[in-house]
Amino acid sequence: MSGENTAIDSTSAFDYVIVGAGSSGCVLANRLSADPNVSVCLIEAGSHDRNVRIQTPAGTITLYKSKKYSWNFFSAPQKNLNGRSLHTPRGRALGGSSSMNSMIYIRGHASDYDKWEAAGCEGWGWKDVLPYFRKSENNRLAQDPGLHGVTGELYVDAPRDPNPVSNLFVKAAERVGIKRNNDFNGRQFEGCGIYNVTQKDAKRLSSYRAFVAPVRERANLTVVTDCAVQSVILENKVAKGVKVIVGGAAKSIVARREVILSAGALGTPQLLLASGIGPKDALEQAGVEVRHDLPGVGKNLQDHLDGLVTVRSKSPKTLGFSLASLPSVIAAPLRYVFGQKGWLTTNYVEAGGFARTPLSPDLPDVQFHFVPGYRSHRGRLFEWGHGYAVHTCVLRPKSIGELKLNASGQLVIDFNFLSNPEDGRVLVEGLKLARKILADPVFDEIRGKEMLPGKAVQTDEQLWAYIRDYAATVFHPVGTCKMGVDAMSVVSPTSLKVQGIEGLRVADASIMPTLISGNTNAPCIMIGERAADMILHGERAHDAATQGAIG
């Protein structure tokens, strides 16, 4: 039953049905199907990942606007960003967004998880989640064994051939007082350095490639691609399966034990709402029959707001297309194939780190992603010529948005960015710090013209205006089905089961009560590990109790 789509018919039934083959869902598919006595169906709305653009690190830049491999969502007009609708891509292939992201391995700060625990999420403190991070990790860098795993499926390695300009950024950051950090997942979170990446043999290692592809031939694991889930099948507030469109036909897939939603912070609440599970008023306005009034579905949307400093340079040391760089561009495929070196190994955001602005004396409140190439000031995918850029994002945003369905059943995404002005103040200070790094004499050898924000933008008021004109999401949406113990919680922290519905769990970024400090792929893999353990522990306890009763 390991083929794509071949095993799906009108009577298909499995013990576990997992919706979404992304960062969390692939971990769940691996762990649950390790038991040969249960059957697992992993459903992905996108297609396969057998494409050089996905597998080659440098291909990531071509995926964000891909019509095939990306869900090209756009937000509702952001009232505090001059009414702009923000591009919000999500992965649409096996591996989900881990098949199109920048492959950066970041767990976040330990206090992020302790904050979850303090808010009532028992079992989600740093001491509780660390073993799950270590379980999935296969660290290739001989980093602290007390914090890193070496036997997991997810390879964590250094970039094969970082651009020398990326090291200039790290050196300049040191010179302005930000310490070098060689392991952002080690004892020290703050600092700048070259990011570790989820790659194996200089290729992207998505969650699918790490956790599912090696076990794809398990007889009890069925992977279905190009399969759009329409809704969860509910009977008397018990999840019985999912309604899908596959091969142009409407079908039902039955779950004998559980449906597990791992469709991400946008896809999972969308499915719940489409199934009639969510805020009563919002469902009625969308014309959806209310099956279960659950106020928190779609609420609590959080993301990292990002601002850009981009510089034009004449130096061919930076990534870019020019007559001077033509020889290296032409040689790139050969260098990659035969030496795993050169331009095609880049993930573009090779360097970066975490720093404190004057607004945060204790913990880093901004993150940098340095690009050793020119980021177009016009929003183009490619620009002729050279340069470099720094993305700066607000690590712990206070602005909260929401998702809902409109009358046509389409998803409406409102980040509500800058609804709390504190986020804008942090970003202003972060942009100042980014500029300070780029102004260091280390960059004199490749110095160029700042295109954005531009020389004329200097005062706080001008930077605020720039943010309203240009700031965007850095693609880390979370929180829309949050776990917790308050009235707006959607899932239980101890089980991840949807409140008031039997046989239905959520395991993905949507369960995060607050956004973690950094990139979200590694935490989503941890959530998949944690959810699998919850399910397996519960099943074993149930089986033992059943056997005892029979005996």
Side-chain angles (χ1 to χ4, degrees):
M1 297 178 68
S2 60
E4 293 179 11
N5 306 344
T6 56
I8 298 302
D9 56 38
S10 58
T11 60
S12 292
F14 305 86
D15 292 313
Y16 297 102
V17 174
I18 304 168
V19 179
S23 298
S24 304
C26 286
V27 176
L28 278 159
N30 177 300
R31 303 303 185 225
L32 297 181
S33 65
D35 181 352
N37 296 313
V38 302
S39 57
V40 178
C41 181
L42 177 64
I43 302 173
E44 170 56 41
S47 191
H48 62 80
D49 69 339
R50 298 186 296 273
N51 186 289
V52 67
R53 293 159 58 194
I54 293 177
Q55 303 309 323
T56 305
T60 187
I61 199 172
T62 71
L63 299 172
Y64 289 104
K65 294 184 179 180
S66 167
K67 293 181 179 180
K68 181 173 183 179
Y69 297 114
S70 173
W71 297 102
N72 287 294
F73 295 109
F74 279 85
S75 75
Q78 296 297 285
K79 61 183 179 182
N80 298 309
L81 297 179
N82 292 337
R84 291 183 295 122
S85 293
L86 305 182
H87 184 225
T88 308
R90 308 308 297 154
R92 188 179 183 179
L94 290 171
S97 293
S98 72
S99 283
M100 66 180 290
N101 68 0
S102 296
M103 297 155 278
I104 297 173
Y105 185 79
I106 294 289
R107 298 170 175 176
H109 195 274
S111 65
D112 297 333
Y113 303 96
D114 290 339
K115 184 178 179 181
W116 293 2
E117 185 177 46
C121 296
E122 181 183 351
W124 289 90
W126 175 245
K127 67 181 185 304
D128 303 301
V129 301
L130 177 58
Y132 294 98
F133 280 114
R134 295 182 69 247
K135 179 179 180 180
S136 60
E137 184 184 9
N138 193 325
N139 188 280
R140 314 302 293 175
L141 300 168
Q143 292 173 330
D144 188 340
L147 294 173
H148 292 280
V150 294
T151 60
E153 294 87 348
L154 186 70
Y155 277 52
V156 175
D157 209 343
R160 282 301 171 97
D161 192 15
N163 186 283
V165 176
S166 295
N167 286 305
L168 287 184
F169 176 80
V170 179
K171 185 176 180 180
E174 277 191 287
R175 286 166 55 93
V176 302
I178 303 173
K179 293 181 179 180
R180 181 181 293 263
N181 191 339
N182 295 321
D183 182 8
F184 296 112
N185 305 294
R187 305 288 173 183
Q188 178 65 34
F189 182 69
E190 188 173 353
C192 282
I194 302 297
Y195 285 123
N196 293 340
V197 291
T198 51
Q199 294 178 9
K200 182 180 181 181
D201 299 327
K203 294 181 180 179
R204 173 191 297 277
L205 192 65
S206 69
S207 187
Y208 170 75
R209 287 285 162 172
F211 295 97
V212 174
V215 301
R216 185 70 182 265
E217 296 308 313
R218 285 176 179 169
N220 62 332
L221 174 61
T222 298
V223 179
V224 188
T225 58
D226 303 289
C227 181
V229 178
Q230 303 296 295
S231 62
V232 177
I233 300 169
L234 293 174
E235 295 180 11
N236 298 320
K237 296 196 176 182
V238 178
K240 294 294 186 178
V242 292
K243 295 179 180 179
V244 303
I245 302 293
V246 59
K251 298 181 180 181
S252 296
I253 300 176
V254 173
R256 288 187 287 259
R257 297 190 183 184
E258 288 189 17
V259 173
I260 307 164
L261 301 183
S262 296
L266 305 186
T268 287
Q270 182 179 22
L271 271 174
L272 289 174
L273 293 169
S275 306
I277 303 171
K280 181 176 182 291
D281 292 346
L283 291 173
E284 290 175 342
Q285 290 174 10
V288 177
E289 179 187 357
V290 180
R291 306 296 299 278
H292 180 53
D293 182 12
L294 194 55
V297 175
K299 307 295 185 181
N300 194 48
L301 174 62
Q302 299 160 60
D303 202 343
H304 290 130
L305 183 65
D306 182 80
L308 177 69
V309 178
T310 187
V311 178
R312 279 280 200 190
S313 170
K314 295 181 180 180
S315 173
K317 290 182 179 180
T318 67
L319 301 175
F321 295 98
S322 67
L323 292 177
S325 70
L326 193 59
S328 63
V329 171
I330 293 173
L334 291 176
R335 290 196 68 201
Y336 181 71
V337 171
F338 294 105
Q340 297 181 342
K341 297 285 186 179
W343 189 348
L344 293 181
T345 66
T346 188
N347 67 332
Y348 297 99
V349 284
E350 299 171 341
F354 303 88
R356 286 174 288 141
T357 72
L359 299 176
S360 181
D362 300 319
L363 293 174
D365 56 347
V366 293
Q367 180 180 7
F368 299 122
H369 293 89
F370 178 76
V371 183
Y374 184 63
R375 285 305 308 268
S376 172
H377 62 288
R378 292 177 281 208
R380 295 177 179 176
L381 184 61
F382 294 107
E383 287 266 4
W384 182 259
H386 295 273
Y388 47 93
V390 183
H391 288 273
T392 304
C393 73
V394 180
L395 271 186
R396 297 179 181 84
K398 293 181 171 59
S399 300
I400 305 295
E402 67 175 332
L403 307 176
K404 57 185 178 181
L405 300 180
N406 62 19
S408 300
Q410 296 174 319
L411 189 64
V412 178
I413 306 166
D414 185 5
F415 291 106
N416 204 20
F417 280 134
L418 294 185
S419 56
N420 189 316
E422 181 65 18
D423 296 341
R425 289 191 280 270
V426 172
L427 189 50
V428 165
E429 295 301 326
L431 289 170
K432 291 179 185 177
L433 185 52
R435 277 176 151 179
K436 184 177 181 180
I437 296 170
L438 297 186
D440 188 85
V442 163
F443 279 96
D444 284 351
E445 60 181 287
I446 60 170
R447 182 75 57 199
K449 178 182 179 182
E450 182 184 284
M451 304 300 290
L452 290 177
K455 186 177 179 180
V457 178
Q458 295 295 331
T459 68
D460 286 7
E461 291 77 13
Q462 290 169 332
L463 284 169
W464 265 98
Y466 169 68
I467 289 167
R468 292 190 184 99
D469 284 337
Y470 286 96
T473 164
V474 77
F475 315 141
H476 297 155
V478 308
T480 48
C481 297
K482 77 166 187 172
M483 61 178 171
V485 294
D486 63 11
M488 296 302 289
S489 299
V490 175
V491 299
S492 163
T494 56
S495 66
L496 299 185
K497 291 181 178 180
V498 175
Q499 308 279 14
I501 302 290
E502 291 295 319
L504 183 61
R505 295 191 207 230
V506 174
D508 56 30
S510 70
I511 72 159
M512 296 185 189
T514 52
L515 182 55
I516 61 99
S517 304
N519 311 75
T520 50
N521 182 46
C524 286
I525 289 172
M526 177 275 292
I527 289 169
E529 293 278 21
R530 187 88 172 85
D533 196 47
M534 288 175 174
I535 294 167
L536 292 171
H537 177 79
E539 290 297 335
R540 287 167 185 155
H542 175 269
D543 291 344
T546 301
Q547 290 168 5
I550 293 173

